[in-house]
Amino acid sequence: MMTAENKISPRQLRRMLFIEMFGAGALSVPALACYNGQSGGVAVLFYGFFLIIATVVFYILSEKIQEQFSENAKSYTELLPKAIQSIYFIRFAINVAALFYFFGETIQTVYMPKSSFLFILFPAALLLWYTLNTNLQKRARFLELIFPWIFVSYGIAVFLSFVGIETSIQPGTIKEVWRDIFSDTAIQSLRNGYILFVCGSPIEFLLFLKPAAKTKQKIKRSIITAAFGVFFCNVLLIFLAVRTLGKTLTTQSAWPVIKMMQLIRMSGGFLERFDILPAIVWVFCMMAVISGYLYYGKKMLEQLLLKKSKEPIVKKTTAKKSIMKEPIATGTSILCLLLLACLVEKQPYLWNSYLKYKIFVDVPLALLLPVFVYIAGRKNTKNKKQGKNTETADKIKKKESILYLFTILLVLGSSFSLTGCRHLTDIEEKSYVLSLYVDRLSGEENGYAFQVARADLNKMEERDEEIPCQITKIKAKTLKELEEKYLRIIPGEMEWNHIYTIFFSLEMTENKEACMRLLEEWDGDWQKSPNVFLVASSPPPDKLYKVKNIPKGAAGQEVSLLIKQSKKQQKIKSDQKNNTEKICETPIDYLRHTEQSPGKSILYQIVIEDGKIVLIDKK
């Protein structure tokens, strides 16, 4: 029987299930729902179907197994044969290593691109080391404490998405959004729903948590509440991402929830980048998932290494030595995990390999876990009824092996058919970009002529009301090449989060391929703001940056103010135009509309009249 330190309350059960199930794919669920360029509405329904069926099956089987074998076994893993225990231990170890690596890669790619894996993962490794050296009750209390932080951060993120995005890019009516969401085919939706379930729901943790409940009251309601909460939160993220980015860009973004939150720009200057909020939620949840695999995997290993003796004799001195050696052993395991993640840093094939492993091996084995336990339980029951007859035991063992093999082949076959096969620096070390002017480079097919307007903080005095600006001209084929050449000329890394406007020359706007190529590179870089304004400039940069009564570096800010003032007029004009035509204000808006309606994207155009910048809309 389980000790008191391994017992949890129904509330702890509910919160632990929610955190662990929601954290596995909280940032990527919209992209997975829109897998292979399809929209995600019907896929979400299939995801809910898979989640409900899995929850019900795991619950019913755990009930039966617990009733029959709770007196003989402290945990479910004790009922499994050694070979099956080994398979599940290896499976848990693979999940720990893969999720730990992808956790570090996400943080590095999105927020700390110049920091090492060791710097990012070391604090997480300390938390995992603590998890391995604690009991289930302490782990439940820790997750129960961080639950309010997760829930509040998620609520703020969703609220800011509804408020901030609506005033930012005008994604269209709710009716149009839902019509777009529910436009995919049933077969593809079925596959997408399964992939969404694959990457977002370690429902098997229910088999370890349910027997640990102190009382049988409210357990069923706690499990249903946790599963429904996970489904609701994921559906809300999918809806917001598709509503904001569109199905194509949602699929192309590895972490569309972060991309969605980067679009928010609200007055008041509370936060520069709102994507920190969903990242906080995901960091907490992801650590809970990894620690869960570690904790339960450790229990499996302990059971696997136990001797077959029914009454093991252990001296007190030996027990004390083992207690003292346990933190050292777990510390060594975490250190090996940390070194492994650093060794395989930046391997592009790992995600695709892990996704295939999850689809074809990991999840089928997870779904088979209660079946294997049930088979093992039936064997024990038959042994009791028929006694210890050697001949009967041999027949049961043969039938058991055939049943295991048949079950594995059946589930794996069904799986195949279903799937179808920021570096932290001081302000003085950064170069703040205020606006960017882009023109086609004459004589080169893929070249651009950039003019970067940056804030010259070294020339700024304390009482200056205006920020001095410096214009730098650079020729490059890509934005990455622009940044490399810029660093050779101007000291300090380019900081793009303060840019207001990107200006395209009229010649640039006529070449859709050049526009799309540059904007796709802009949108693909997490360090570049996706909600910067995009306009076509009739005056050349030498005239644009010499407008009267406007500081040289404030042309982009002036244009952004003009665009905000013209939004009411824009709505009236758009009602009079063809429904497929749209004035695109941002790079991501231009990309999304151009992909949906090629040749129908309209940009604002600026001209200079009477020494002032005037905003017009023109094809």
PDB file of all heavy atoms in Angstrom, residues 331-359:
ATOM      1  N   GLY A 331      21.839  13.286  -9.175  1.00  0.00           N
ATOM      2  CA  GLY A 331      22.625  14.404  -9.693  1.00  0.00           C
ATOM      3  C   GLY A 331      23.445  14.004 -10.897  1.00  0.00           C
ATOM      4  O   GLY A 331      23.577  14.764 -11.863  1.00  0.00           O
ATOM      5  N   THR A 332      23.985  12.787 -10.861  1.00  0.00           N
ATOM      6  CA  THR A 332      24.743  12.278 -12.004  1.00  0.00           C
ATOM      7  C   THR A 332      23.847  12.108 -13.221  1.00  0.00           C
ATOM      8  O   THR A 332      24.239  12.423 -14.353  1.00  0.00           O
ATOM      9  CB  THR A 332      25.393  10.939 -11.638  1.00  0.00           C
ATOM     10  OG1 THR A 332      26.209  11.097 -10.470  1.00  0.00           O
ATOM     11  CG2 THR A 332      26.249  10.425 -12.783  1.00  0.00           C
ATOM     12  N   SER A 333      22.623  11.628 -12.995  1.00  0.00           N
ATOM     13  CA  SER A 333      21.675  11.458 -14.102  1.00  0.00           C
ATOM     14  C   SER A 333      21.334  12.798 -14.745  1.00  0.00           C
ATOM     15  O   SER A 333      21.300  12.920 -15.976  1.00  0.00           O
ATOM     16  CB  SER A 333      20.393  10.779 -13.588  1.00  0.00           C
ATOM     17  OG  SER A 333      20.682   9.532 -12.998  1.00  0.00           O
ATOM     18  N   ILE A 334      21.066  13.811 -13.920  1.00  0.00           N
ATOM     19  CA  ILE A 334      20.737  15.142 -14.439  1.00  0.00           C
ATOM     20  C   ILE A 334      21.927  15.739 -15.177  1.00  0.00           C
ATOM     21  O   ILE A 334      21.784  16.385 -16.224  1.00  0.00           O
ATOM     22  CB  ILE A 334      20.285  16.073 -13.300  1.00  0.00           C
ATOM     23  CG1 ILE A 334      18.993  15.556 -12.670  1.00  0.00           C
ATOM     24  CG2 ILE A 334      20.095  17.490 -13.802  1.00  0.00           C
ATOM     25  CD1 ILE A 334      17.832  15.495 -13.620  1.00  0.00           C
ATOM     26  N   LEU A 335      23.145  15.511 -14.659  1.00  0.00           N
ATOM     27  CA  LEU A 335      24.349  16.020 -15.322  1.00  0.00           C
ATOM     28  C   LEU A 335      24.530  15.377 -16.691  1.00  0.00           C
ATOM     29  O   LEU A 335      24.855  16.063 -17.674  1.00  0.00           O
ATOM     30  CB  LEU A 335      25.574  15.752 -14.451  1.00  0.00           C
ATOM     31  CG  LEU A 335      26.918  16.262 -14.985  1.00  0.00           C
ATOM     32  CD1 LEU A 335      26.873  17.776 -15.163  1.00  0.00           C
ATOM     33  CD2 LEU A 335      28.057  15.873 -14.056  1.00  0.00           C
ATOM     34  N   CYS A 336      24.280  14.083 -16.790  1.00  0.00           N
ATOM     35  CA  CYS A 336      24.357  13.402 -18.089  1.00  0.00           C
ATOM     36  C   CYS A 336      23.307  13.944 -19.051  1.00  0.00           C
ATOM     37  O   CYS A 336      23.576  14.127 -20.245  1.00  0.00           O
ATOM     38  CB  CYS A 336      24.168  11.902 -17.896  1.00  0.00           C
ATOM     39  SG  CYS A 336      25.504  11.087 -16.985  1.00  0.00           S
ATOM     40  N   LEU A 337      22.108  14.207 -18.536  1.00  0.00           N
ATOM     41  CA  LEU A 337      21.047  14.777 -19.365  1.00  0.00           C
ATOM     42  C   LEU A 337      21.444  16.158 -19.877  1.00  0.00           C
ATOM     43  O   LEU A 337      21.218  16.496 -21.045  1.00  0.00           O
ATOM     44  CB  LEU A 337      19.756  14.865 -18.548  1.00  0.00           C
ATOM     45  CG  LEU A 337      18.507  15.410 -19.263  1.00  0.00           C
ATOM     46  CD1 LEU A 337      18.098  14.486 -20.399  1.00  0.00           C
ATOM     47  CD2 LEU A 337      17.356  15.564 -18.267  1.00  0.00           C
ATOM     48  N   LEU A 338      22.057  16.966 -19.014  1.00  0.00           N
ATOM     49  CA  LEU A 338      22.501  18.305 -19.398  1.00  0.00           C
ATOM     50  C   LEU A 338      23.583  18.244 -20.460  1.00  0.00           C
ATOM     51  O   LEU A 338      23.559  18.987 -21.455  1.00  0.00           O
ATOM     52  CB  LEU A 338      23.010  19.035 -18.148  1.00  0.00           C
ATOM     53  CG  LEU A 338      23.226  20.548 -18.226  1.00  0.00           C
ATOM     54  CD1 LEU A 338      21.923  21.263 -18.561  1.00  0.00           C
ATOM     55  CD2 LEU A 338      23.780  21.063 -16.908  1.00  0.00           C
ATOM     56  N   LEU A 339      24.553  17.357 -20.291  1.00  0.00           N
ATOM     57  CA  LEU A 339      25.635  17.220 -21.268  1.00  0.00           C
ATOM     58  C   LEU A 339      25.111  16.708 -22.601  1.00  0.00           C
ATOM     59  O   LEU A 339      25.550  17.145 -23.668  1.00  0.00           O
ATOM     60  CB  LEU A 339      26.708  16.280 -20.720  1.00  0.00           C
ATOM     61  CG  LEU A 339      27.494  16.788 -19.510  1.00  0.00           C
ATOM     62  CD1 LEU A 339      28.439  15.721 -18.999  1.00  0.00           C
ATOM     63  CD2 LEU A 339      28.260  18.067 -19.847  1.00  0.00           C
ATOM     64  N   LEU A 340      24.151  15.783 -22.566  1.00  0.00           N
ATOM     65  CA  LEU A 340      23.574  15.251 -23.798  1.00  0.00           C
ATOM     66  C   LEU A 340      22.873  16.351 -24.589  1.00  0.00           C
ATOM     67  O   LEU A 340      23.024  16.428 -25.817  1.00  0.00           O
ATOM     68  CB  LEU A 340      22.588  14.126 -23.464  1.00  0.00           C
ATOM     69  CG  LEU A 340      21.861  13.492 -24.655  1.00  0.00           C
ATOM     70  CD1 LEU A 340      22.858  12.823 -25.591  1.00  0.00           C
ATOM     71  CD2 LEU A 340      20.832  12.479 -24.168  1.00  0.00           C
ATOM     72  N   ALA A 341      22.099  17.209 -23.899  1.00  0.00           N
ATOM     73  CA  ALA A 341      21.409  18.310 -24.574  1.00  0.00           C
ATOM     74  C   ALA A 341      22.398  19.276 -25.212  1.00  0.00           C
ATOM     75  O   ALA A 341      22.163  19.784 -26.315  1.00  0.00           O
ATOM     76  CB  ALA A 341      20.513  19.052 -23.581  1.00  0.00           C
ATOM     77  N   CYS A 342      23.535  19.537 -24.549  1.00  0.00           N
ATOM     78  CA  CYS A 342      24.540  20.443 -25.107  1.00  0.00           C
ATOM     79  C   CYS A 342      25.266  19.821 -26.294  1.00  0.00           C
ATOM     80  O   CYS A 342      25.651  20.524 -27.236  1.00  0.00           O
ATOM     81  CB  CYS A 342      25.544  20.843 -24.024  1.00  0.00           C
ATOM     82  SG  CYS A 342      24.840  21.835 -22.682  1.00  0.00           S
ATOM     83  N   LEU A 343      25.440  18.508 -26.280  1.00  0.00           N
ATOM     84  CA  LEU A 343      26.147  17.837 -27.367  1.00  0.00           C
ATOM     85  C   LEU A 343      25.351  17.842 -28.665  1.00  0.00           C
ATOM     86  O   LEU A 343      25.922  17.932 -29.755  1.00  0.00           O
ATOM     87  CB  LEU A 343      26.487  16.393 -26.968  1.00  0.00           C
ATOM     88  CG  LEU A 343      27.608  16.210 -25.933  1.00  0.00           C
ATOM     89  CD1 LEU A 343      27.721  14.745 -25.537  1.00  0.00           C
ATOM     90  CD2 LEU A 343      28.942  16.722 -26.481  1.00  0.00           C
ATOM     91  N   VAL A 344      24.039  17.715 -28.571  1.00  0.00           N
ATOM     92  CA  VAL A 344      23.208  17.659 -29.778  1.00  0.00           C
ATOM     93  C   VAL A 344      22.614  19.015 -30.126  1.00  0.00           C
ATOM     94  O   VAL A 344      21.619  19.099 -30.840  1.00  0.00           O
ATOM     95  CB  VAL A 344      22.067  16.630 -29.607  1.00  0.00           C
ATOM     96  CG1 VAL A 344      22.623  15.249 -29.419  1.00  0.00           C
ATOM     97  CG2 VAL A 344      21.160  17.011 -28.438  1.00  0.00           C
ATOM     98  N   GLU A 345      23.216  20.095 -29.622  1.00  0.00           N
ATOM     99  CA  GLU A 345      22.693  21.443 -29.862  1.00  0.00           C
ATOM    100  C   GLU A 345      22.633  21.758 -31.360  1.00  0.00           C
ATOM    101  O   GLU A 345      23.552  21.460 -32.112  1.00  0.00           O
ATOM    102  CB  GLU A 345      23.578  22.474 -29.157  1.00  0.00           C
ATOM    103  CG  GLU A 345      23.086  23.896 -29.280  1.00  0.00           C
ATOM    104  CD  GLU A 345      23.998  24.886 -28.569  1.00  0.00           C
ATOM    105  OE1 GLU A 345      24.966  24.431 -27.916  1.00  0.00           O
ATOM    106  OE2 GLU A 345      23.749  26.092 -28.660  1.00  0.00           O
ATOM    107  N   LYS A 346      21.490  22.378 -31.754  1.00  0.00           N
ATOM    108  CA  LYS A 346      21.281  22.834 -33.127  1.00  0.00           C
ATOM    109  C   LYS A 346      21.349  21.707 -34.152  1.00  0.00           C
ATOM    110  O   LYS A 346      22.014  21.823 -35.184  1.00  0.00           O
ATOM    111  CB  LYS A 346      22.293  23.948 -33.482  1.00  0.00           C
ATOM    112  CG  LYS A 346      22.112  25.214 -32.671  1.00  0.00           C
ATOM    113  CD  LYS A 346      20.759  25.834 -32.879  1.00  0.00           C
ATOM    114  CE  LYS A 346      20.589  27.094 -32.038  1.00  0.00           C
ATOM    115  NZ  LYS A 346      19.228  27.662 -32.156  1.00  0.00           N
ATOM    116  N   GLN A 347      20.689  20.614 -33.886  1.00  0.00           N
ATOM    117  CA  GLN A 347      20.562  19.527 -34.863  1.00  0.00           C
ATOM    118  C   GLN A 347      19.190  19.632 -35.523  1.00  0.00           C
ATOM    119  O   GLN A 347      18.165  19.389 -34.870  1.00  0.00           O
ATOM    120  CB  GLN A 347      20.734  18.168 -34.200  1.00  0.00           C
ATOM    121  CG  GLN A 347      22.099  17.949 -33.581  1.00  0.00           C
ATOM    122  CD  GLN A 347      23.209  17.950 -34.613  1.00  0.00           C
ATOM    123  OE1 GLN A 347      22.992  17.573 -35.768  1.00  0.00           O
ATOM    124  NE2 GLN A 347      24.397  18.366 -34.216  1.00  0.00           N
ATOM    125  N   PRO A 348      19.113  20.023 -36.799  1.00  0.00           N
ATOM    126  CA  PRO A 348      17.816  20.326 -37.427  1.00  0.00           C
ATOM    127  C   PRO A 348      16.901  19.125 -37.601  1.00  0.00           C
ATOM    128  O   PRO A 348      15.695  19.284 -37.722  1.00  0.00           O
ATOM    129  CB  PRO A 348      18.225  20.902 -38.789  1.00  0.00           C
ATOM    130  CG  PRO A 348      19.578  20.323 -39.064  1.00  0.00           C
ATOM    131  CD  PRO A 348      20.242  20.210 -37.727  1.00  0.00           C
ATOM    132  N   TYR A 349      17.441  17.923 -37.623  1.00  0.00           N
ATOM    133  CA  TYR A 349      16.621  16.750 -37.898  1.00  0.00           C
ATOM    134  C   TYR A 349      15.948  16.192 -36.646  1.00  0.00           C
ATOM    135  O   TYR A 349      15.112  15.289 -36.745  1.00  0.00           O
ATOM    136  CB  TYR A 349      17.491  15.650 -38.520  1.00  0.00           C
ATOM    137  CG  TYR A 349      18.634  15.201 -37.647  1.00  0.00           C
ATOM    138  CD1 TYR A 349      18.445  14.206 -36.691  1.00  0.00           C
ATOM    139  CD2 TYR A 349      19.904  15.760 -37.767  1.00  0.00           C
ATOM    140  CE1 TYR A 349      19.483  13.793 -35.883  1.00  0.00           C
ATOM    141  CE2 TYR A 349      20.944  15.355 -36.955  1.00  0.00           C
ATOM    142  CZ  TYR A 349      20.732  14.373 -36.015  1.00  0.00           C
ATOM    143  OH  TYR A 349      21.755  13.976 -35.209  1.00  0.00           O
ATOM    144  N   LEU A 350      16.273  16.678 -35.479  1.00  0.00           N
ATOM    145  CA  LEU A 350      15.785  16.073 -34.241  1.00  0.00           C
ATOM    146  C   LEU A 350      14.280  16.203 -34.077  1.00  0.00           C
ATOM    147  O   LEU A 350      13.612  15.268 -33.623  1.00  0.00           O
ATOM    148  CB  LEU A 350      16.508  16.689 -33.038  1.00  0.00           C
ATOM    149  CG  LEU A 350      17.967  16.258 -32.836  1.00  0.00           C
ATOM    150  CD1 LEU A 350      18.560  16.940 -31.632  1.00  0.00           C
ATOM    151  CD2 LEU A 350      18.051  14.747 -32.678  1.00  0.00           C
ATOM    152  N   TRP A 351      13.720  17.380 -34.422  1.00  0.00           N
ATOM    153  CA  TRP A 351      12.287  17.573 -34.207  1.00  0.00           C
ATOM    154  C   TRP A 351      11.471  16.626 -35.073  1.00  0.00           C
ATOM    155  O   TRP A 351      10.537  15.987 -34.589  1.00  0.00           O
ATOM    156  CB  TRP A 351      11.896  19.012 -34.473  1.00  0.00           C
ATOM    157  CG  TRP A 351      10.409  19.221 -34.573  1.00  0.00           C
ATOM    158  CD1 TRP A 351       9.681  19.553 -35.657  1.00  0.00           C
ATOM    159  CD2 TRP A 351       9.447  19.058 -33.507  1.00  0.00           C
ATOM    160  NE1 TRP A 351       8.345  19.623 -35.369  1.00  0.00           N
ATOM    161  CE2 TRP A 351       8.174  19.323 -34.053  1.00  0.00           C
ATOM    162  CE3 TRP A 351       9.541  18.703 -32.164  1.00  0.00           C
ATOM    163  CZ2 TRP A 351       7.010  19.252 -33.295  1.00  0.00           C
ATOM    164  CZ3 TRP A 351       8.377  18.636 -31.417  1.00  0.00           C
ATOM    165  CH2 TRP A 351       7.135  18.912 -31.978  1.00  0.00           C
ATOM    166  N   ASN A 352      11.813  16.535 -36.371  1.00  0.00           N
ATOM    167  CA  ASN A 352      11.064  15.632 -37.253  1.00  0.00           C
ATOM    168  C   ASN A 352      11.186  14.181 -36.806  1.00  0.00           C
ATOM    169  O   ASN A 352      10.212  13.417 -36.847  1.00  0.00           O
ATOM    170  CB  ASN A 352      11.561  15.780 -38.690  1.00  0.00           C
ATOM    171  CG  ASN A 352      11.175  17.113 -39.293  1.00  0.00           C
ATOM    172  OD1 ASN A 352      10.147  17.692 -38.934  1.00  0.00           O
ATOM    173  ND2 ASN A 352      11.990  17.634 -40.200  1.00  0.00           N
ATOM    174  N   SER A 353      12.377  13.795 -36.365  1.00  0.00           N
ATOM    175  CA  SER A 353      12.565  12.432 -35.883  1.00  0.00           C
ATOM    176  C   SER A 353      11.741  12.178 -34.633  1.00  0.00           C
ATOM    177  O   SER A 353      11.101  11.124 -34.489  1.00  0.00           O
ATOM    178  CB  SER A 353      14.055  12.174 -35.594  1.00  0.00           C
ATOM    179  OG  SER A 353      14.828  12.379 -36.753  1.00  0.00           O
ATOM    180  N   TYR A 354      11.734  13.119 -33.723  1.00  0.00           N
ATOM    181  CA  TYR A 354      10.987  12.952 -32.475  1.00  0.00           C
ATOM    182  C   TYR A 354       9.483  12.928 -32.738  1.00  0.00           C
ATOM    183  O   TYR A 354       8.743  12.168 -32.091  1.00  0.00           O
ATOM    184  CB  TYR A 354      11.334  14.074 -31.505  1.00  0.00           C
ATOM    185  CG  TYR A 354      10.630  13.959 -30.168  1.00  0.00           C
ATOM    186  CD1 TYR A 354      10.931  12.919 -29.284  1.00  0.00           C
ATOM    187  CD2 TYR A 354       9.651  14.880 -29.798  1.00  0.00           C
ATOM    188  CE1 TYR A 354      10.287  12.800 -28.061  1.00  0.00           C
ATOM    189  CE2 TYR A 354       9.001  14.777 -28.578  1.00  0.00           C
ATOM    190  CZ  TYR A 354       9.325  13.737 -27.716  1.00  0.00           C
ATOM    191  OH  TYR A 354       8.677  13.619 -26.512  1.00  0.00           O
ATOM    192  N   LEU A 355       9.027  13.760 -33.696  1.00  0.00           N
ATOM    193  CA  LEU A 355       7.601  13.774 -34.021  1.00  0.00           C
ATOM    194  C   LEU A 355       7.153  12.423 -34.573  1.00  0.00           C
ATOM    195  O   LEU A 355       6.092  11.901 -34.199  1.00  0.00           O
ATOM    196  CB  LEU A 355       7.310  14.888 -35.034  1.00  0.00           C
ATOM    197  CG  LEU A 355       5.849  15.073 -35.440  1.00  0.00           C
ATOM    198  CD1 LEU A 355       4.981  15.373 -34.220  1.00  0.00           C
ATOM    199  CD2 LEU A 355       5.719  16.185 -36.477  1.00  0.00           C
ATOM    200  N   LYS A 356       7.959  11.846 -35.463  1.00  0.00           N
ATOM    201  CA  LYS A 356       7.628  10.518 -35.985  1.00  0.00           C
ATOM    202  C   LYS A 356       7.646   9.466 -34.884  1.00  0.00           C
ATOM    203  O   LYS A 356       6.801   8.566 -34.839  1.00  0.00           O
ATOM    204  CB  LYS A 356       8.608  10.143 -37.098  1.00  0.00           C
ATOM    205  CG  LYS A 356       8.464  10.999 -38.351  1.00  0.00           C
ATOM    206  CD  LYS A 356       9.472  10.607 -39.412  1.00  0.00           C
ATOM    207  CE  LYS A 356       9.319  11.481 -40.647  1.00  0.00           C
ATOM    208  NZ  LYS A 356      10.315  11.141 -41.688  1.00  0.00           N
ATOM    209  N   TYR A 357       8.619   9.572 -33.998  1.00  0.00           N
ATOM    210  CA  TYR A 357       8.687   8.639 -32.865  1.00  0.00           C
ATOM    211  C   TYR A 357       7.438   8.748 -31.990  1.00  0.00           C
ATOM    212  O   TYR A 357       6.868   7.737 -31.565  1.00  0.00           O
ATOM    213  CB  TYR A 357       9.947   8.925 -32.050  1.00  0.00           C
ATOM    214  CG  TYR A 357       9.900   8.351 -30.647  1.00  0.00           C
ATOM    215  CD1 TYR A 357      10.124   6.991 -30.433  1.00  0.00           C
ATOM    216  CD2 TYR A 357       9.638   9.165 -29.544  1.00  0.00           C
ATOM    217  CE1 TYR A 357      10.079   6.454 -29.157  1.00  0.00           C
ATOM    218  CE2 TYR A 357       9.584   8.641 -28.269  1.00  0.00           C
ATOM    219  CZ  TYR A 357       9.796   7.291 -28.079  1.00  0.00           C
ATOM    220  OH  TYR A 357       9.738   6.759 -26.813  1.00  0.00           O
ATOM    221  N   LYS A 358       6.984   9.978 -31.732  1.00  0.00           N
ATOM    222  CA  LYS A 358       5.787  10.176 -30.917  1.00  0.00           C
ATOM    223  C   LYS A 358       4.554   9.595 -31.596  1.00  0.00           C
ATOM    224  O   LYS A 358       3.708   8.971 -30.948  1.00  0.00           O
ATOM    225  CB  LYS A 358       5.570  11.671 -30.653  1.00  0.00           C
ATOM    226  CG  LYS A 358       6.575  12.315 -29.735  1.00  0.00           C
ATOM    227  CD  LYS A 358       6.323  11.951 -28.284  1.00  0.00           C
ATOM    228  CE  LYS A 358       5.079  12.605 -27.750  1.00  0.00           C
ATOM    229  NZ  LYS A 358       4.877  12.355 -26.311  1.00  0.00           N
ATOM    230  N   ILE A 359       4.448   9.796 -32.915  1.00  0.00           N
ATOM    231  CA  ILE A 359       3.263   9.352 -33.643  1.00  0.00           C
ATOM    232  C   ILE A 359       3.181   7.836 -33.714  1.00  0.00           C
ATOM    233  O   ILE A 359       2.128   7.237 -33.459  1.00  0.00           O
ATOM    234  CB  ILE A 359       3.257   9.952 -35.064  1.00  0.00           C
ATOM    235  CG1 ILE A 359       3.076  11.475 -34.995  1.00  0.00           C
ATOM    236  CG2 ILE A 359       2.167   9.332 -35.923  1.00  0.00           C
ATOM    237  CD1 ILE A 359       3.252  12.151 -36.331  1.00  0.00           C
TER     238      ILE A 359
END
